[in-house]
């Protein structure tokens, strides 16, 4: 027998700002029956004529179709919009679901049980006493207020399950504390992103824009860990301030040369160099047409205060402090590295290499005695660096045998005692659950939970 047609119309659609949620808009003079049916399927009132279903398992389209069938059976005119119909008909799977042996319907049943647990917590039927971290997920202990049954919960969102049951809260709490004493915290766990999004969908059809994160204040750090800043701007400022230097453009816009008026001191700046590749080369010559006396290179990520120290050193005449072909003596090395010794950097000798490093090993200076006595070698006599290791530095400076000792001394002074600024990195945002059509990855076995009747 066909039921009488009720004077009500229900339009089901995708939530305008939370795509997995579903809205129901009621019209007509007799909406009570429609409202009652929708409520039974998880819809909650937003205003006088609108209800919203927002779940933590993203199964709203499936349950919206079930609600539509129930409404139709009651003689209530029901409309499903094309985009909701597309979501209902879409086939998808949870990526990396821990129970890949389950069928799609079984996965839906399990996630529906997780939804019931979530609703019981949200509506105050399940009181959470404490929570804890268990590997990569959250566990909790709570008590159902209507039955007095206490439970241990495992997992979050659509994977939350009842892991164990107890006759009393005291038994449940004692067992929970024994298992999770180190990470146990009172009360429920912080709201997950999925729970927060569902709560937003139930309270508004518009998106509340998230405030723009405040730009963090730069932090003061040792010079060797400072940000590189703008190297091109530093070169422009240097040339604008020192009229005895002149900029020269090459045939390519990728490189700029700066030459001292004496024609015996030159800077080459490669603008688009990789942060760990050579971006600067400074070279000195005995005469404008002679071979190089010495040269020094810097990589693109060299910190701004270290680069500025080098440029200041060039401007103040340190570049001419070394006599041509003068040997590097023990006294020269001591003078060049005195600041490191004074700062307590760790000093080691390993064959031909003499090294100074910070206590934490994140920066250092290396002197190669063999390279120092081989002026025509391509090996660097001095290496100044910071980062994971000298072999994999975040940045590095390499200098040839006759590089002026006063220049090296100013650079090591900056490493030992200088400071700079570094922008604080914002905390990464938590990844939201993703729906995917890719086959799930097999995960460790989790005991299969049989769905129980709705309480």
């Amino acid at each position: 027998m066909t039921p009488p047609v009720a004077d009500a119309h229900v339009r089901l659609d995708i939530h305008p700002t939370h795509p997995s949620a579903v809205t129901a808009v009621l019209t007509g003079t007799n909406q009570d029956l429609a409202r009652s049916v929708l409520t039974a399927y998880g819809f909650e009132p937003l205003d006088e004529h609108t209800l919203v279903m927002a779940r933590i398992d993203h199964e709203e389209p499936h349950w919206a179709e079930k609600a539509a069938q129930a409404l139709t059976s009651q003689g209530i005119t029901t409309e499903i919009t094309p985009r909701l119909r597309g979501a209902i008909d879409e086939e998808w799977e949870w990526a990396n679901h821990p129970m890949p042996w389950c069928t799609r319907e079984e996965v839906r049943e399990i996630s529906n049980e997780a939804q019931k647990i979530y609703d019981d917590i949200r509506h105050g039927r399940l009181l959470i006493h404490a929570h804890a971290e268990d590997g990569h997920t959250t566990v909790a202990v709570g008590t159902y207020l209507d039955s007095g049954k206490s439970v241990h919960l495992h997992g979050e969102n659509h994977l939350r399950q009842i892991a164990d049951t107890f006759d009393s809260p005291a038994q449940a709490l004692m067992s929970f504390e024994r298992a999770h004493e180190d990470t146990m915290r009172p009360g429920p766990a912080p709201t997950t992103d999925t729970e927060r999004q569902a709560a937003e969908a139930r309270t508004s059809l518009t998106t509340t824009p998230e405030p723009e994160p405040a730009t963090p204040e730069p932090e003061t750090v040792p010079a060797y860990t400072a940000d590189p800043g703008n190297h091109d701007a530093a070169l422009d400022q240097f040339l604008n301030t020192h009229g005895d230097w002149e900029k020269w453009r090459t045939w390519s816009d990728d490189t700029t040369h700066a030459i001292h008026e004496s024609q015996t001191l030159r800077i080459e700046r490669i603008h688009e160099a990789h942060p760990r590749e050579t971006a600067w080369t400074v070279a000195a010559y005995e005469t404008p047409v002679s071979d190089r006396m010495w040269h020094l290179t810097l990589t693109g990520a060299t910190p701004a205060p270290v680069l500025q120290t080098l440029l200041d050193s060039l401007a103040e005449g340190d570049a001419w402090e070394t006599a041509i072909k003068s040997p590097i003596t023990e006294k020269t090395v001591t003078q060049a590295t005195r600041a490191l010794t004074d700062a307590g950097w760790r000093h080691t000798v390993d064959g031909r290499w003499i090294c100074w490093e910070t206590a934490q090993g994140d920066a250092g200076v290396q002197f190669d005695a063999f390279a120092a006595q081989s002026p025509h070698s391509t090996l660097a006599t001095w290496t100044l660096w910071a980062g994971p290791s000298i072999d994999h530095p975040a940045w590095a400076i390499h200098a040839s045998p006759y590089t002026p000792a006063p220049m090296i001394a100013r650079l090591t002074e900056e490493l030992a005692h200088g400071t700079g600024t570094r922008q604080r990195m914002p905390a990464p945002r938590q990844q939201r659950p993703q729906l995917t059509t890719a086959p799930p990855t097999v995960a460790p076995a989790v005991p299969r939970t049989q769905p129980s009747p709705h309480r």
Side-chain angles (χ1 to χ4, degrees):
M1 181 178 179
T2 303
V5 177
D7 183 18
H9 179 275
V10 178
R11 185 175 188 270
L12 299 174
D13 196 3
I14 294 293
H15 194 290
T17 58
H18 292 76
S20 73
V22 174
T23 62
V25 177
L26 280 61
T27 54
T29 59
N30 186 11
Q31 301 176 11
D32 291 345
L33 178 58
R35 195 181 304 275
S36 176
V37 172
L38 290 168
T39 300
Y41 281 88
F43 283 85
E44 298 183 22
L46 177 64
D47 57 38
E48 185 178 357
H49 301 289
T50 308
L51 294 91
V52 175
M53 175 170 53
R55 297 169 60 94
I56 58 170
D57 60 359
H58 300 292
E59 293 282 5
E60 292 94 337
H62 169 78
W63 294 105
E65 183 179 38
K66 297 293 186 185
Q69 294 169 354
L71 289 166
T72 301
S73 70
Q74 295 294 328
I76 299 169
T77 304
T78 305
E79 174 191 358
I80 297 178
T81 64
R83 61 177 181 170
L84 176 55
R85 173 54 62 187
I88 290 171
D89 295 338
E90 180 185 9
E91 289 294 331
W92 58 267
E93 295 177 335
W94 280 102
N96 301 322
H97 196 281
M99 289 168 269
W101 57 84
C102 292
T103 66
R104 184 71 186 86
E105 285 304 314
E106 288 172 333
V107 169
R108 184 175 282 132
E109 291 172 355
I110 292 168
S111 67
N112 192 44
E113 289 301 303
Q115 179 70 37
K116 293 174 185 176
I117 295 171
Y118 166 68
D119 288 337
D120 287 339
I121 295 172
R122 185 164 61 92
H123 293 301
R125 295 188 289 268
L126 174 54
L127 176 65
I128 300 299
H129 306 301
H131 70 279
E133 296 299 318
D134 184 21
H136 297 292
T137 193
T138 301
V139 293
V141 55
T143 299
Y144 283 97
L145 300 184
D146 56 350
S147 66
K149 179 181 69 175
S150 295
V151 295
H152 283 184
L153 303 176
H154 182 277
E156 299 175 348
N157 301 327
H158 67 291
L159 297 178
R160 186 184 280 125
Q161 296 180 327
I162 295 177
D164 205 352
T165 59
F166 298 84
D167 293 332
S168 71
Q171 286 181 334
L173 278 166
M174 289 176 61
S175 175
F176 191 82
E177 184 175 4
R178 283 195 300 268
H180 306 289
E181 181 179 5
D182 293 340
T183 60
M184 183 174 172
R185 299 290 183 273
T191 303
T192 67
D193 276 358
T194 299
E195 292 170 340
R196 177 178 56 79
Q197 292 157 25
E200 290 174 354
R202 289 190 297 267
T203 56
S204 175
L205 297 182
T206 60
T207 300
T208 302
E210 294 186 6
E212 288 294 324
T215 302
E217 290 292 326
E219 57 181 333
T220 300
V221 295
Y224 58 83
T225 64
D227 288 333
N230 189 327
H231 281 199
D232 291 335
L235 177 59
D236 289 341
Q237 177 65 28
F238 173 77
L239 295 173
N240 291 336
T241 306
H242 301 93
D244 50 349
W245 286 82
E246 186 174 357
K247 179 189 290 188
W248 289 77
R249 275 285 182 184
T250 65
W251 60 272
S252 169
D253 289 338
D254 295 336
T255 305
T256 293
H257 284 200
I259 302 178
H260 188 262
E261 61 184 10
S262 67
Q263 301 287 307
T264 60
L265 199 57
R266 302 169 192 174
I267 299 173
E268 179 186 70
R269 162 72 177 140
I270 302 174
H271 298 285
E272 301 299 331
H274 186 276
R276 288 181 172 83
E277 299 295 332
T278 298
W280 295 78
T281 300
V282 179
Y285 303 80
E286 184 179 1
T287 70
V289 295
S290 66
D291 294 334
R292 288 192 306 195
M293 289 194 302
W294 61 264
H295 68 279
L296 175 149
T297 64
L298 298 81
T299 58
T302 300
V306 178
L307 172 61
Q308 190 59 53
T309 296
L310 173 66
L311 294 175
D312 291 344
S313 182
L314 292 174
E316 294 171 16
D318 288 345
W320 287 276
E321 290 294 327
T322 299
I324 301 173
K325 296 184 179 179
S326 60
I328 298 179
T329 64
E330 182 179 348
K331 180 179 180 181
T332 304
V333 174
T334 300
Q335 291 175 342
T337 59
R338 178 174 290 116
L340 306 176
T341 302
D342 293 345
W345 285 34
R346 187 170 59 243
H347 179 209
T348 59
V349 178
D350 182 10
R352 71 193 223 197
W353 292 286
I354 306 174
C355 303
W356 296 259
E357 288 189 6
T358 60
Q360 56 272 31
D362 60 348
V365 173
Q366 177 179 276
F367 174 75
D368 185 341
F370 175 80
Q373 304 304 320
S374 306
H376 300 296
S377 171
T378 58
L379 299 173
T381 297
W382 294 97
T383 300
L384 291 70
W385 62 275
S389 71
I390 190 172
D391 297 320
H392 298 90
W395 64 266
I397 296 175
H398 298 98
S400 67
Y402 300 127
T403 303
M407 180 177 290
I408 299 297
R410 290 189 64 163
L411 290 170
T412 58
E413 172 75 23
E414 185 65 27
L415 295 188
H417 302 295
T419 60
T421 59
R422 181 175 61 196
Q423 196 69 31
R424 288 188 176 93
M425 296 298 292
R429 292 188 176 187
Q430 185 174 350
Q431 289 288 336
R432 297 178 179 180
Q434 298 285 326
L435 302 185
T436 179
T437 56
T441 302
V442 176
V446 176
R448 180 167 167 177
T449 303
Q450 295 296 328
S452 58
H454 184 72
R455 283 181 292 273

